[in-house]
Amino acid sequence: MKLQRKNRLRALSLGAVAVSGALALTACGSDDNGGGSGSSTASASSNASSIKCDDAKGQLLADGSSAQKNAIDAWVKNFSQACGVQINYKGSGSGAGVTAFTQGQVAFAGSDSALKPEEVTASKKVCSGGQGIDLPMVGGPIALGYNVPGVDNLVLDAPTIAKIFDSKITKWNDAAIKKLNPSATLPDLKIQAFHRSDESGTTDNFTKYLIAATPSNWKYSGGKAWQAKGGQSAPQSAGVAQQVKQTSGAIGYFELSYVSDGIKAVSIDTGASKPVAPSTESATADIAAAKVVGTGKDLALQLDYKTKAEGAYPMTLVTYEIVCDKGNKADTLPATKAFLNYIASEDGQKLLSTIDYAPVPDEIITKVRSTIEGLS
């Protein structure tokens, strides 16, 4: 099953390279063509003929969350085939995406963190008569991927995770890890903890979990930029995953779809009756309890990082598509609305669970669809 998923994602990635190489990238005057996506065939998970193109045409440039990159590639594959619109999503990270959006360089951005007040203020300069809003579109667990020879089923809890990433626990046979894994043969091997080098919403959500679940062991304020001392870094989710895969003793955090051959995922002891592994089902169980805390048309969510509910994975994230509620550019608005309408649709959301993402709960995605219709 894992091999099939890997082959599917590899195929999507190859399709992405093909389209991005074809783009002239006249949109916004950019000459950076990294990470576009598209394909001539529709995914079996979604019927391209059901996509409503409306007046969509031309090209769209977008940037942001690398956590949702595999989902965006799958969506773009279907949408481009149905509507002929080329979409170049660079996946440079949430921080880069928000910056590109507030500077008017992209039609929309992806971010694993909701806009901050100062970012909303900055967005008003490019959203004529409006502002940037958060539309929750992709859910999923933040997996702790590890590469420890001979250890197939690793369990960690919040205090231990915090100490590993704060360089307080440095060996895999540490007493705290042994206590959580009494039947495992843990090697006397140095822990190589990898974090994101770029500003990342995945980092923001990962550290929000640590702050909420074990505040006495994680004294940092959190945010998109990594703050703890020590460890090693790599850019974007794919970069961290690659380092974990090729480094014995490594551990790092990234979206579940980046867990592949050579990487195993940690199960978390939340205090429930048994440890919870990252999956679309366990993430959905946590996201279903999220509350909308955004105001007006903004649909920012508050997640429960301290959940002890049975089967609920606590280290989850929601990726938002960030777009102007009013004042979108006239030449890109039809394509932006058509694409967002598709990815928020039943077909678009259904595709997520086939590639290790979690669909947004019905009550929330219904509000997202209504908000997209009103974009201007």
Side-chain angles (χ1 to χ4, degrees):
M1 185 71 179
K2 184 179 287 184
L3 182 60
Q4 291 176 343
R5 186 195 68 213
K6 182 180 178 184
N7 289 337
R8 180 171 60 249
L9 294 182
R10 182 183 179 189
L12 290 173
S13 177
L14 290 173
V17 172
V19 169
S20 63
L23 292 177
L25 290 186
T26 55
C28 303
S30 172
D31 59 1
D32 188 338
N33 65 349
S37 51
S39 173
S40 61
T41 59
S43 166
S45 302
S46 180
N47 185 355
S49 64
S50 69
I51 297 173
K52 297 180 180 179
C53 303
D54 295 326
D55 297 320
K57 60 183 178 180
Q59 301 175 353
L60 287 181
L61 184 63
D63 197 2
S65 165
S66 64
Q68 72 165 356
K69 182 67 167 60
N70 291 329
I72 290 287
D73 285 350
W75 280 328
V76 168
K77 177 182 178 181
N78 291 332
F79 185 78
S80 295
Q81 189 273 338
C83 301
V85 175
Q86 294 177 323
I87 301 176
N88 180 27
Y89 182 82
K90 293 167 64 178
S92 301
S94 297
V98 171
T99 297
F101 179 76
T102 57
Q103 292 180 351
Q105 298 172 356
V106 293
F108 69 91
S111 177
D112 307 318
S113 301
L115 291 169
K116 296 178 180 179
E118 61 269 25
E119 293 168 339
V120 173
T121 298
S123 73
K124 293 180 180 180
K125 298 178 181 179
V126 296
C127 300
S128 179
Q131 65 180 49
I133 56 173
D134 302 287
L135 301 177
M137 203 71 75
V138 182
I142 301 172
L144 284 175
Y146 70 96
N147 178 359
V148 182
V151 181
D152 294 328
N153 299 292
L154 184 68
V155 175
L156 297 174
D157 60 10
T160 308
I161 295 167
K163 291 173 185 177
I164 287 172
F165 281 88
D166 199 21
S167 303
K168 302 291 178 59
I169 292 178
T170 59
K171 290 289 189 71
W172 280 110
N173 62 349
D174 186 274
I177 302 177
K178 283 185 175 181
K179 185 177 180 180
L180 290 163
N181 300 272
S183 62
T185 301
L186 297 165
D188 182 16
L189 179 66
K190 182 180 178 181
I191 296 174
Q192 307 279 358
F194 283 89
H195 57 265
R196 289 281 290 272
S197 60
D198 53 324
E199 288 201 354
S200 161
T202 309
T203 294
D204 190 16
N205 284 275
F206 176 53
T207 54
K208 280 179 179 176
Y209 161 71
L210 295 176
I211 291 167
T214 182
S216 61
N217 291 298
W218 196 260
K219 300 293 187 178
Y220 305 98
S221 60
K224 292 187 179 75
W226 185 256
Q227 296 172 325
K229 306 300 181 183
Q232 302 183 63
S233 64
Q236 303 165 19
S237 293
V240 175
Q242 181 61 34
Q243 290 299 318
V244 171
K245 183 175 182 178
Q246 67 188 22
T247 306
S248 181
I251 186 171
Y253 58 90
F254 33 78
E255 213 282 329
L256 182 61
S257 68
Y258 289 92
V259 174
S260 61
D261 292 345
I263 302 176
K264 299 179 178 67
V266 170
S267 293
I268 297 181
D269 183 347
T270 64
S273 64
K274 59 182 180 180
V276 184
S279 69
T280 57
E281 294 80 12
S282 62
T284 298
D286 185 54
I287 296 171
K291 298 179 180 178
V292 176
V293 294
T295 58
K297 295 182 179 180
D298 188 89
L299 297 174
L301 302 177
Q302 183 179 63
L303 299 171
D304 183 6
Y305 299 102
K306 296 191 293 183
T307 183
K308 295 182 180 180
E310 297 295 330
Y313 187 79
M315 202 159 60
T316 57
L317 60 77
V318 169
T319 302
Y320 302 95
E321 310 313 330
I322 296 171
V323 66
C324 297
D325 59 353
K326 298 178 182 178
N328 289 279
K329 294 180 180 179
D331 58 338
T332 58
L333 178 59
T336 299
K337 286 184 69 171
F339 181 66
L340 294 179
N341 271 323
Y342 162 57
I343 68 179
S345 72
E346 184 177 348
D347 281 347
Q349 289 291 298
K350 189 183 299 181
L351 184 149
L352 291 175
S353 59
T354 70
I355 50 174
D356 288 333
Y357 291 93
V360 176
D362 288 343
E363 181 180 351
I364 298 171
I365 202 66
T366 298
K367 295 178 181 178
V368 171
R369 293 166 185 158
S370 177
T371 302
I372 293 170
E373 289 297 332
L375 298 179
S376 63

